[in-house]
């Protein structure tokens, strides 16, 4: 059985992956908190990305820039004037809609209104009698511009001079530090700077669980290359992304690479591909990969007055590098990984077990230590737990019968369960049970670390 989004939400809540945000106060719409298993999975995903895109990639280095940037940043990039969505309210139920999304969902994606002017969208909705998906009404306001950036003020007074924005993407902190990194890292073009961090967008219609939220995390790479070579690198990073997702364990049949047609590209881009995942509501964007030309550096150079050109030490030429940007959302990847790997498996004896068949490197817990009978085996089990927790993400569970405990670990994706029983007390061996095959082997406690390390290689 494949999980739909409501079932996945219930699973996440039940096992402690994701909770409703601010729950005891009645919640705060579309905010989510990540519980013990959720934070572990998220951390593992970020580490996996960081390894592949930063520490294990010879071209790239990392960065952690501020969330709050000088507000001129967002004037330079066009976010202040252009990062907006077409907002339309239903007068009957007061639901807020994105006009382009109303058209897309009413036509099941056949009509793409992205890029239309507001009048054209409005006319289409009225002529085609597209009803409010919330109440079925047909009484809308005009379409208004709605800027997606969260505004706040810095300092103790709230006048507009102090107005700043929460960043809507991590990318710009990278561009602002381009010169610093060139000066201090000894990297030469082509090279990239990767960053992982929170971004904020006041989305009109957040939803589909954690797919679209107002606070989310991005894993972004800005890759700087010689102008004229960008298409080679665009292909390189597309292939790299594909390999990354395959290695991560997403099934190829659930992935699609959608190349934006030339006529639909953003004005600063000369090639863009969306990596789509088959979410329960259909294929939707997981990862955006864009060739952004020298747009960002040029804009920051113009607005800041700083020369951001790169001096090529081999040719002595100066130029603004072109940029390829693969930008991936942590929560969308989190969702895809759970949806792709979660199944209800029918066993030979007819029993059904929930199984999260996740890549071992990503599992929220790598091992679980289980005393067979609490009364007799707890002390020894705690010794084994203390030993393992220094090297592995380990969990300890002594509540309930062993069968149920195995099932719980299967459901949360723990690759290995270590059981301590009477034999352990006699010969210092434990049972190691593998998640997918459920096969069990006996291993000496002194060999356990090496045995498990080999399994995770
Ligand atoms: P969408 O079309 O779905 O709004 P986008 O094209 O605006 O996304 P980008 O600006 O390209 O998204 O952002 C890069 C990535 O950041 C997306 O592919 C997605 O994984 C993630 N992302 C963007 N907006 C959100 C959001 N509101 N909630 C969660 N993740 C997001």
């Amino acid at each position: 059985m494949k999980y739909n989004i409501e079932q996945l939400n219930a699973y996440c809540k039940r096992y402690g992956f994701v909770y409703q945000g601010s729950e005891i106060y009645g919640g705060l719409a579309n905010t989510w908190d990540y519980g013990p298993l959720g934070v572990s999975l998220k951390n593992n995903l970020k580490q996996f990305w960081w390894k592949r895109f930063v520490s294990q990639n010879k071209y790239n280095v990392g960065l952690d820039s501020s969330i709050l940037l000088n507000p001129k940043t967002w004037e330079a990039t066009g976010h202040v004037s252009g990062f907006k969505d077409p907002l339309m309210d239903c007068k009957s139920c007061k639901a807020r809609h994105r006009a382009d999304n109303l058209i897309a969902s009413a036509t099941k994606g056949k009509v793409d209104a992205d890029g239309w002017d507001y009048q054209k969208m409005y006319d289409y909705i009225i002529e085609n009698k597209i009803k409010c998906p919330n109440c079925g009404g047909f009484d809308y306001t005009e379409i208004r511009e709605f800027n997606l950036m969260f505004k706040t003020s810095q300092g103790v007074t709230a006048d507009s001079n102090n107005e700043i924005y929460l960043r809507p993407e991590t990318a710009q902190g990278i561009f602002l530090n381009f010169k610093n990194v060139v000066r201090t890292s000894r990297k030469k073009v082509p090279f990239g700077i990767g960053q992982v961090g929170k971004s904020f967008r006041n989305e009109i219609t957040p939803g589909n669980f954690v797919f679209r939220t107002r606070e989310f995390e991005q894993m972004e790479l800005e890759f700087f290359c010689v102008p004229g070579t960008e298409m080679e690198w665009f292909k390189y990073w597309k292939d790299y992304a594909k390999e990354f997702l395959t290695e991560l364990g997403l099934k190829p049949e659930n992935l699609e690479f959608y190349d934006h047609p030339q006529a639909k590209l953003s004005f600063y881009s000369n090639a863009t591909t969306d990596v789509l995942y088959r979410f329960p509501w259909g294929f939707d964007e997981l990862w955006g990969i864009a060739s952004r030309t020298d747009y960002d550096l040029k804009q920051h150079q113009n607005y800041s007055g700083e020369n951001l050109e790169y001096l090529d030490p081999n040719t002595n030429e100066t130029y603004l590098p072109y940029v390829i940007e693969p930008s991936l959302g942590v929560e969308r990847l989190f969702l895809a990984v759970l949806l792709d790997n979660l199944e209800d498996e029918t066993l030979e004896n007819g029993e059904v077990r929930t199984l999260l068949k996740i890549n071992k490197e990503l599992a929220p817990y790598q091992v679980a230590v289980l005393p067979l009978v609490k009364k007799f085996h707890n002390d020894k089990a705690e010794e084994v737990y203390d030993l393992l927790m220094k090297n592995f993400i380990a969990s300890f569970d002594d509540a309930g019968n062993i069968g149920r405990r195995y099932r719980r670990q299967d459901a949360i994706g723990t690759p290995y369960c270590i059981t301590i029983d009477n034999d352990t007390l006699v010969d210092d061996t434990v049972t190691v049970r593998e998640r997918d095959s459920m096969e069990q082997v006996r291993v000496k406690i002194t060999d356990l670390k090496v045995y498990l390390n080999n399994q995770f290689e």
Side-chain angles (χ1 to χ4, degrees), residues 133-148:
N134 193 44
C135 72
F138 183 61
D139 188 11
Y140 294 109
T141 61
E142 295 279 305
I143 298 176
R144 311 187 296 292
E145 278 181 359
F146 182 78
N147 195 296
L148 298 178

Side-chain angles (χ1 to χ4, degrees), residues 79 83 85 98 101 114 148 168-169 199-203 205-207 209-220 260 268 272-275 279 284-290 292 325-333:
H79 280 81
F83 193 51
D85 278 339
R98 251 176 76 174
N101 283 357
D114 193 22
L148 298 178
E169 57 181 36
S199 294
F200 302 83
R201 296 182 188 179
N202 199 2
E203 299 276 2
T205 45
F209 194 24
V210 299
F211 179 82
R212 187 181 301 286
T213 49
R214 297 194 170 107
E215 173 184 345
F216 55 97
E217 281 187 275
Q218 290 180 308
M219 305 183 277
E220 296 198 294
H260 288 218
Y268 52 76
T272 299
T273 297
D274 291 342
V275 183
F279 289 101
D284 212 338
E285 180 174 331
L286 174 66
W287 200 339
I289 305 174
R292 298 179 65 93
E325 175 192 81
S327 171
L328 174 60
V330 176
E331 291 79 2
R332 289 194 189 175
L333 190 62

Side-chain angles (χ1 to χ4, degrees), residues 310-330:
Y310 174 76
L311 170 65
D312 192 315
N314 299 326
T315 62
N316 263 344
E317 274 177 72
T318 51
Y319 58 88
L320 284 175
Y322 270 34
V323 170
I324 308 299
E325 175 192 81
S327 171
L328 174 60
V330 176

Side-chain angles (χ1 to χ4, degrees), residues 230-231 262 265-266 268-272 291-293 322:
E230 71 272 19
M231 287 308 151
Q262 211 65 24
L265 292 173
S266 300
Y268 52 76
S269 173
N270 58 5
T272 299
S291 168
R292 298 179 65 93
T293 64
Y322 270 34

Side-chain angles (χ1 to χ4, degrees), residues 181-192:
V181 175
V182 169
R183 191 164 45 80
T184 55
S185 72
R186 314 186 80 81
K187 283 280 169 200
K188 296 196 185 86
V189 168
F191 78 94

